[in-house]
Amino acid sequence: MTDGDFGLLSPVSASSAVAALTGDRAVIAAILGVEASWAAVLEGAGLVPAGSAAVVAEAAHGDSYDVASVAERAQGGANPVIPLLGDLRARVKELDTSGIGAGKAVHTSLTSQDVLDSALMLLASRTVSALLVDVKGTTTALATLAEQHADTLCVGRSLTQHALPYTFGLKAAQWFHGVAAAAARLESLELPVQFGGAGGTLASGTKLTAGSDSTPFTLADSLAAELGLAPVTAPWHTNRLAVTALGDGLAALIDSFGKIAADLLFLSRPEVGELGEPLAAGRGVSSAMPQKQNPVLSVLIRSAALQAPALAAQLHLAAATFNDERPDGAWHSEWPALRRLLSLALGAAGHLRELTEGLRVFPEAMRRNLELSGPLLLSEGVAAAVAPLLGEAGKQKLQAVVDETLKAPAAEQSRIYTKLLREAVPADKVSDATLEELLDPASYLGEASEISRRILDAYPDFTAPATNTGISTKGATRG
């Protein structure tokens, strides 16, 4: 969300909170933050006049800069750092009223890629921190649903068809599993500082530190510490693993969001009716059909999931075509893809948190849908228990019962299956009571409860919410 771009056609991330972390002003602030931190590093090493860092820090307040002007002038050097540096140097000169030469601390020994790569990693670090707050709100809500509905029966579906008895608790636990596993991977990523100089050899840094106790490598480590980024062994101008790993982590997390949204879009259909999104005034209404209650949170989340893979692929395409020691257009193509991934993930995370924390669950509808297939859902378990009692032809005999049942209308299949099964299995082999037990869906849940427990136990850091509130992306959507 930039000046003149408020996300009108991207409602999933149309939020002032998302813009504050990923918008153009956030990028400007990150670039200026790198320059200010670098000035502090140089002053700390005694390489620039004392007091320089304070002047640069004062000059680096992002609100002082015309974002639209910087963006337009960036075309002259193919990146925003160059025009912004001109503005920063002018501002530092203006503020250096004591004439200490604070301008010497601006960008010395850096190159544009050092600043922009580090700035984007800083932007990502801030965004991921906020993102994980909302993710942990979501996983906490899912863990609660898993525990509350451990015994809530529903139907498990395979290739769109009724498969076996299931529990909503296990469904919620599996949603939790996808989100928690992806978030844990994202959380573990190290976002590195960049410092290589004009050609990636640290030549100017070597000259700068000659005769001092510092080296280009100690300066790079100090910059990483100032910014809260990871130190690096060497410059990574054309080794883009840091970027592709971040993109993959964000895309995988959005994938897990998309899985939940896809399930909810089906399960909230009126003819299914097992779940409902939280209600809010003005949300989900239609411009033409007053009776509609559109599941807009799921729609927005799904829209992010449909965009993310291509953006991650763009990062890999760029990484695979980085030429020479400093790249041309491949580097430039990373920036919008990475920032879009960050904004999509952040926006979708806020919507998913609200959705899961307010999810409406309808166990009666789950039971109703389960009973559409009724005893047929237990045919696998029946065959395993009964076929050995019927001799060599036992499996074929029981399969014939199923085949005959499926010829009948769906509304009649439960009754017909039970009748044909009783006729096919002698009472002296299987009593009525035993058969009734075999046809009870609660008797064929396998290790559903234990699977849920193991999933939740595997991610203890994601079963309680983070301490702050994350971001809010609440808002009505019409369609």
Side-chain angles (χ1 to χ4, degrees):
M1 193 178 297
T2 62
D3 289 1
D5 178 7
F6 298 95
L8 190 65
L9 297 182
S10 184
V12 65
S13 55
S15 158
S16 58
V18 174
L21 286 164
T22 66
D24 277 357
R25 288 203 176 277
V27 175
I28 293 285
I31 293 172
L32 293 170
V34 171
E35 293 288 353
S37 293
W38 182 239
V41 167
L42 293 181
E43 183 176 327
L47 299 173
V48 296
S52 296
V55 176
V56 176
E58 184 179 355
H61 289 298
D63 291 343
S64 304
Y65 297 86
D66 185 337
V67 178
S69 173
V70 172
E72 185 174 354
R73 287 180 287 135
Q75 297 177 69
N79 78 68
V81 176
I82 295 171
L84 187 58
L85 275 175
D87 295 348
L88 176 62
R89 287 188 171 113
R91 182 73 174 139
V92 168
K93 184 178 181 179
E94 178 186 334
L95 293 172
D96 188 10
T97 55
S98 60
I100 61 174
K104 296 175 182 178
V106 177
H107 204 68
T108 299
S109 295
L110 298 178
T111 193
S112 296
Q113 188 172 352
D114 293 335
V115 176
L116 193 50
D117 279 352
S118 295
L120 289 175
M121 290 296 105
L122 181 59
L123 185 86
S125 176
R126 293 167 175 169
T127 303
V128 169
S129 293
L131 168 66
L132 289 171
V133 172
D134 277 333
V135 165
K136 289 181 180 181
T138 291
T139 54
T140 299
L142 292 175
T144 299
L145 287 169
E147 292 169 347
Q148 289 177 342
H149 292 280
D151 299 319
T152 300
L153 290 173
C154 64
V155 64
R157 297 173 175 91
S158 172
L159 302 179
T160 76
Q161 303 300 297
H162 286 195
L164 290 174
Y166 209 73
T167 67
F168 180 63
L170 181 55
K171 185 180 288 290
Q174 290 290 12
W175 289 343
F176 169 97
H177 194 187
V179 175
R185 190 173 86 174
L186 181 63
E187 191 174 36
S188 72
L189 291 179
E190 290 192 338
L191 303 178
V193 74
Q194 177 72 281
F195 179 43
T201 63
L202 296 171
S204 60
T206 301
K207 185 175 181 179
L208 175 69
T209 57
S212 76
D213 293 333
S214 300
T215 70
F217 302 105
T218 61
L219 294 182
D221 289 347
S222 296
L223 179 59
E226 282 279 336
L227 295 172
L229 298 176
V232 291
T233 302
W236 47 279
H237 284 164
T238 55
N239 175 3
R240 309 309 287 176
L241 182 60
V243 176
T244 56
L246 174 58
D248 289 345
L250 292 166
L253 184 62
I254 297 172
D255 289 346
S256 72
F257 296 171
K259 157 60 180 168
I260 298 173
D263 281 350
L264 286 169
L265 286 167
F266 171 74
L267 295 171
S268 63
R269 289 172 181 258
E271 61 269 29
V272 180
E274 296 183 9
L275 298 173
E277 289 195 352
L279 301 176
R283 177 189 289 141
V285 298
S286 169
S287 61
M289 294 164 282
Q291 84 285 359
K292 288 187 72 180
Q293 184 64 50
N294 296 318
V296 293
L297 294 175
S298 297
V299 167
L300 293 176
I301 295 163
R302 180 168 164 77
S303 78
L306 291 172
Q307 295 175 69
L311 294 167
Q314 175 60 49
L315 297 178
H316 283 281
L317 177 62
T321 55
F322 263 51
N323 58 316
D324 301 325
E325 282 62 58
R326 291 277 305 285
D328 48 25
W331 178 49
H332 303 71
S333 72
E334 279 183 349
W335 314 335
L338 180 59
R339 185 170 69 163
R340 184 64 182 144
L341 270 173
L342 287 166
S343 63
L344 284 174
L346 191 58
H351 294 306
L352 185 61
R353 179 178 185 178
E354 184 183 356
L355 194 163
T356 53
E357 288 181 340
L359 187 67
R360 294 178 296 143
V361 182
F362 305 115
E364 299 84 359
M366 292 178 180
R367 186 71 193 214
R368 180 198 67 217
N369 292 333
L370 176 67
E371 290 175 354
L372 289 175
S373 293
L376 267 178
L377 288 178
L378 285 304
S379 59
E380 178 190 65
V382 168
V386 175
L389 304 177
L390 301 180
E392 293 184 3
K395 286 186 179 180
Q396 292 86 342
K397 192 173 185 180
L398 294 174
Q399 184 61 51
V401 170
V402 172
D403 293 343
E404 188 64 25
T405 300
L406 293 175
K407 296 177 183 178
E412 295 292 316
Q413 287 177 0
S414 291
R415 179 186 62 79
I416 291 173
Y417 177 73
T418 303
K419 176 178 178 292
L420 294 178
L421 181 63
R422 181 68 284 176
E423 292 173 354
V425 180
D428 61 338
K429 299 286 187 181
V430 179
S431 67
D432 289 343
T434 299
L435 194 60
E436 183 178 353
E437 182 180 346
L438 287 172
L439 297 179
D440 179 0
S443 72
Y444 202 65
L445 294 172
E447 299 291 341
S449 180
E450 178 63 9
I451 293 170
S452 294
R453 186 196 65 78
R454 289 169 67 89
I455 289 172
L456 298 183
D457 286 353
Y459 298 94
D461 292 344
F462 289 88
T463 56
T467 53
N468 59 46
T469 57
I471 68 167
S472 174
T473 55
K474 293 182 180 181
T477 301
R478 296 176 181 267

